[in-house]
Amino acid sequence: MDVFLFSFICCKLLFFLSESSFASDTITSSQSLSDGRTLVSKDGSFELGFFSPGSSKNRYVGIWYKNMPVKTVVWVANRINPINDSSGLLVVNQTGNLVLTSQDKSVVWSANLSKVVRTPVVLQLLDSGNLVLRGERDGGSETYLWQSFDYPSDTLLPGMKLGWDLKTGLERRITSWKSPDDPSPGNFIWAVERQDNPELIMWKGSRKFQRSGPWNGLQFSASPLRPNPIFNFSLVSNEDELCYTFDMRDKAAFSRIVMNQTLYLLQRFIWNKATQSWELYSYLPRDLCDTYALCGACGVCIINDLPVCHCLNGFKPKSRGYVDWSQGCVRDKSLNYSRQDGFIKFTAMKLPDATPSRVSKSMNLNECREKCLENSSCMAYTNSDIRGGGSGCAMWFGELIDMRDFPDAGQDLYIRMSASEIEYADQGAKGKPTTKIVVIVVPTAALLAAVLIAGYLIHKSRRNIKTENKRETDQVQNMDLQLPLFELATIANATDNFSINNKLGEGGFGPVYKGTLVDGQEIAVKRLSKISEQGLKELKNEVILFSKLQHRNLVKLLGCCIQGEEKLLIYEFMPNKSLNSFIFDQERCKILDWSKRFHIICGTARGVMYLHQDSRLRIIHRDLKASNVLLDQDMNPKISDFGLARAFGGDETEGNTKRVIGTYGYMAPEYASDGQFSVKSDVFSFGILLLEIVSGKKNRGFYHSDNKLNLIGHAWKLWNEGMPSQLIDPCIQGSFNLAEVIRCIHIGLLCVQQHPKDRPSMPSVILMLGSETVLPQPKQPGYLADRKSTRQDYSSSTPESCSTNTFTISEFEGR
Ligand SMILES: *[C@@H]1O[C@H](CO)[C@@H](O)[C@H](O)[C@H]1NC(C)=O
Ligand SMILES: *[C@@H]1O[C@H](CO)[C@@H](O)[C@H](O)[C@H]1NC(C)=O
Ligand SMILES: *[C@@H]1O[C@H](CO)[C@@H](O)[C@H](O)[C@H]1NC(C)=O
Ligand SMILES: *[C@@H]1O[C@H](CO)[C@@H](O)[C@H](O)[C@H]1NC(C)=O
Ligand SMILES: *[C@@H]1O[C@H](CO)[C@@H](O)[C@H](O)[C@H]1NC(C)=O
Ligand SMILES: *[C@@H]1O[C@H](CO)[C@@H](O)[C@H](O)[C@H]1NC(C)=O
Ligand SMILES: *[C@@H]1O[C@H](CO)[C@@H](O)[C@H](O)[C@H]1NC(C)=O
């Protein structure tokens, strides 16, 4: 009896198992897949079956990752034709076609094979997530008669091709879902533009929304130039095809690019095995300047300036009075449209919309120039390939739309100008065919308005920089030249011979002085003590690299002075000093109401993300803290001291170091104790900063009267007791939006979680700050109590210095 019962249960169990899944990756002509059953790829990565998205009851056939706690659908068959019950049947029919039918056997969706296939056909789900119909075509060898990778939904997977099969005319593009409940095609499309000079375009309906810039041999020209450790990508362009594709360097890692309709974003995610969740790696558009044609024809967007739109040198806004940038800019001096015209070189540009451009791979830059000059409708040219110093020719025959200043990876662009304009711009550099262009970033709001009106781009030669470094163009940011070198005498003069009265503070690398140049511009001078282990040349190289990092939330390095024993770094002066001089001060804290604080939080986050991800150098700050966030006259936050750790001998970008640089109270546990650092240790410090800004309390030195908890511990306790609002700084009472503050505390706690892998990436932090999506529950943070009580080995650490313009670096040797 028992035996009978047992075998009965076994049978039932077996039956049940075979019901729920074929445990197979294929079906053949004689088989079908009904609702409730699935196909699983050989290595178990992907699963195909019927599903209902979000809160919808409709049934769709789709492919998702198997064994993921969050169901992530990567492909949908019947996007526009859902089945309203469980009667769906996926069949490989007699003529070898893949057909989805519903209850009355009506065809809901089919793979639309044009030819009848008589040989046996096999439907297989591959480990890549590709669903293929294998069979013989015209008696030839076996091929894919059809594959899902050719008909993407909203997701691009590794190995998938975005773009064109030029032989058949098939185009593969990804289209957002209408909503999380409805996979039918939404408004946003990401596609390869089939043109002479191809680029990736994100469309919103029939309007261009964002462009990648044309491919320059290495990458799309509007992406930061750097080797990517996680994936490699290419644009395949030949007679047969034109497509973008990417591969993971670690074949076992999961990654996907998805077009999200609700957020207006194209997002790239990487699967985090440790936390079993998707981590946002990057997204597009990145910022305001990515908005297509924001500044109109011949306008250029400069993200570090406000307002961001400018006209190119030699142009003025077309609209009068109130400037309507969509109308773009017009020339100051009209063209002759003959060989009388010439070209002015603009450096570090995102190249304009490539639709009206033509490419000739065989021409060099000189031939390109000649050809362009000859044709009266040619408006600009440049190299089409930047590899090996540049080759090929791309010419624009039409309006120059959607340019931006792109100091990290932009290209030179030679724009047609009238002879008189060139003469004007070229005064200094006789005999040179082109002119170097400098963008002036003017410090005050009034002058900014002047920039807006005229869009000044002025010319300045290299020689001038060295000898005349303090004309009225003090804050010259040269996009092409090296970092301006200041004379020691100039700086000594500006700081009253490094007078003690001008000293702003003392950091680990030396004192900081305030200075005033002859023309009145205020500067901050960091005088490096002689501790640097690095050679002069290396130091100079590093400093030049940092000078190229430009972001409105980073302090601008204006120049340096390396003369004899003296090594000086010259920065823009920040009149409002550092964040800690406000938030931790009982009186001054009132100046920063909640909206200003939130603005500071968001700006700081963007600055950190730029360092981590968008800058050429991929910098981990390692000493993020309130005293390293400086405030300009409008209370815009600017991060200081980035990259110094690297300049001073620790040039690892990620990994393990013996030399721990940082400040007690802000350091992530794994960094302080083991010297392990990564972008996630900066995220930890950012989290502390966030909690400090909300609470007005220092993490270090905070003791709640009832317990031994530090600020994190206290915040965590309040969070778990459901009283996070008790953390809020009394200074901002009345000025805040409670939901926003609570959200910031929530994000802060996510950033300070014990395990680096649990902490969000900076792109995620920024999205969380900017949207109202549901956030995950934070796990236990690192350091609930002040570590001083438990560990002694860091007693040698310098306390956070309380300098005023604070260029502090506290460093000490880790074990
Ligand atoms: C489901 O769809 C079929 C036809 O597509 C229709 O006849 C039927 O009424 C629908 N059922 C429900 C519950 O909506
Ligand atoms: C298989 O499906 C295709 C597409 O729906 C259809 O045109 C063809 O007639 C079907 N073949 C058979 C034998 O039903
Ligand atoms: C198949 O072809 C029909 C008719 O040409 C078309 O309406 C349908 O959208 C196509 N389906 C797919 C999946 O391409
Ligand atoms: C878009 O992103 C939001 C927020 O992360 C998410 O809730 C939604 O499911 C996404 N939409 C789709 C279609 O995946
Ligand atoms: C990525 O690199 C691998 C190995 O070098 C290469 O085989 C593959 O084709 C590359 N993929 C892309 C999309 O460039
Ligand atoms: C072009 O230049 C020539 C020679 O200098 C001059 O005669 C002509 O008027 C110019 N044309 C225009 C449209 O400026
Ligand atoms: C200039 O180039 C365009 C695009 O290649 C071409 O259509 C046009 O005919 C050319 N004009 C002249 C005058 O050569």
Side-chain angles (χ1 to χ4, degrees), residues 91 132 303 319 326 414 486 627 630 683 754 793:
V91 200
V132 300
I303 195 69
S319 59
S326 65
Y414 300 83
F486 286 79
S627 59
L630 307 187
V683 170
Q754 171 89 43
D793 24 351

Side-chain angles (χ1 to χ4, degrees), residues 503-514 523-528 555-557 569-574 577-578 580 623 625 627-630 638-642 644 801-810:
K503 193 162 155 181
L504 293 167
E506 178 85 38
F509 289 109
V512 183
Y513 297 89
K514 182 183 172 185
I523 53 172
V525 180
K526 185 187 292 251
R527 192 182 198 182
L528 304 171
V555 171
K556 230 168 253 161
L557 181 60
L569 297 177
I570 292 97
Y571 294 91
E572 59 179 332
F573 177 72
M574 289 292 168
K577 304 187 176 149
S578 67
N580 65 340
D623 197 15
K625 55 182 170 181
S627 59
N628 272 341
V629 175
L630 307 187
K638 291 178 187 251
I639 300 171
S640 75
D641 272 359
F642 48 90
L644 277 182
S801 112
C802 44
S803 53
T804 39
N805 201 18
T806 43
F807 291 84
T808 63
I809 294 184
S810 316

Side-chain angles (χ1 to χ4, degrees), residues 93-95 97 99 107 110:
N93 78 7
Q94 242 74 62
T95 44
N97 216 326
V99 184
V107 176
S110 108

Side-chain angles (χ1 to χ4, degrees), residues 287-301:
D287 56 30
L288 189 60
C289 282
D290 266 356
T291 314
Y292 180 74
L294 184 71
C295 303
C298 295
V300 57
C301 193

Side-chain angles (χ1 to χ4, degrees), residues 468-486:
E468 291 186 354
N469 48 41
K470 334 174 250 70
R471 307 176 0 162
E472 78 286 6
T473 60
D474 346 272
Q475 293 205 11
V476 161
Q477 277 296 323
N478 196 316
M479 330 279 260
D480 182 43
L481 302 185
Q482 310 272 300
L483 181 69
L485 291 173
F486 286 79

